[in-house]
Amino acid sequence: MTAKQALTHLDEHGAARMVDVGDKPDTAREAIASARVRMQASTLAMIVAQGHPKGDVLAVARIAGIQAAKRTWELIPLCHPLMLTGVSVTLEADESLPGLQIRARCKVSGPTGVEMEALTAASVAALTVYDMCKAVDRGMVVEQIQLETKCGGASGHWQRDASLVR
């Protein structure tokens, strides 16, 4: 394993540690993550028609995702608290699944990236959809939680190669 490939959250003895980013310069950083929730077509129709007795599933899931991004450092050990400059979460109906496609975008100007915040936002938005709709569709599947793209920092730009998706 080269130095670039070394696991940064482990010290020389293999113990977990929080990476010291104190000497790293602030740079503009952005990450986009996605997830999807497969469900029965009737469940998707109920969500789209805003016919759920608990309220607007998409609005609640959007807010949950945004809140999750802001609190990632409290949920994932060794993550740094970040002063996010922007978070957006979109949920789109996809009748071909059937289900919802979720996309979370996080931005920061700081010494460390926002990949975990974007992944957490997409995950929690998907879990919120499941929570709100489980009474009518326990068979829903949360799947394909993944980083789509990230930019900024020393490692520069990275984008998922769509041909490699399994």
Side-chain angles (χ1 to χ4, degrees), residues 44-83:
L44 180 60
M46 178 193 64
I47 291 170
V48 170
Q50 295 187 8
H52 197 296
K54 289 186 178 182
D56 186 341
V57 174
L58 300 179
V60 173
R62 186 176 308 107
I63 295 297
I66 292 168
Q67 279 299 112
K70 292 167 54 175
R71 302 196 64 172
T72 298
W73 67 278
E74 293 178 303
L75 301 170
I76 308 291
L78 310 179
C79 278
H80 295 86
L82 301 181
M83 185 62 77

Side-chain angles (χ1 to χ4, degrees), residues 12 32 39 57 66 72 80 96 106 112 122 144 147:
E12 63 277 2
I32 299 171
M39 60 190 64
V57 174
I66 292 168
T72 298
H80 295 86
S96 68
C106 294
T112 189
Q144 288 190 319
L147 183 66

Side-chain angles (χ1 to χ4, degrees), residues 115-136:
E115 296 92 338
M116 292 311 301
E117 286 72 13
L119 286 162
T120 301
S123 300
V124 170
L127 292 171
T128 299
V129 170
Y130 187 95
D131 180 51
M132 289 187 73
C133 298
K134 68 184 181 281
V136 296

Side-chain angles (χ1 to χ4, degrees), residues 9-96:
H9 286 82
L10 298 178
D11 68 14
E12 63 277 2
H13 306 291
R17 68 179 178 99
M18 187 174 197
V19 175
D20 182 354
V21 297
D23 293 332
K24 292 175 69 178
D26 285 355
T27 60
R29 299 162 184 264
E30 182 175 328
I32 299 171
S34 64
R36 63 188 198 182
V37 184
R38 286 184 183 269
M39 60 190 64
Q40 296 173 16
S42 58
T43 306
L44 180 60
M46 178 193 64
I47 291 170
V48 170
Q50 295 187 8
H52 197 296
K54 289 186 178 182
D56 186 341
V57 174
L58 300 179
V60 173
R62 186 176 308 107
I63 295 297
I66 292 168
Q67 279 299 112
K70 292 167 54 175
R71 302 196 64 172
T72 298
W73 67 278
E74 293 178 303
L75 301 170
I76 308 291
L78 310 179
C79 278
H80 295 86
L82 301 181
M83 185 62 77
L84 295 170
T85 59
V87 179
S88 65
V89 177
T90 60
L91 296 95
E92 294 183 9
D94 183 343
E95 292 180 8
S96 68

Side-chain angles (χ1 to χ4, degrees), residues 138-157:
R138 291 213 186 264
M140 289 177 290
V141 177
V142 173
E143 61 186 15
Q144 288 190 319
I145 299 166
Q146 58 194 17
L147 183 66
E148 297 292 340
T149 185
K150 61 90 45 197
C151 60
S155 63
H157 183 79

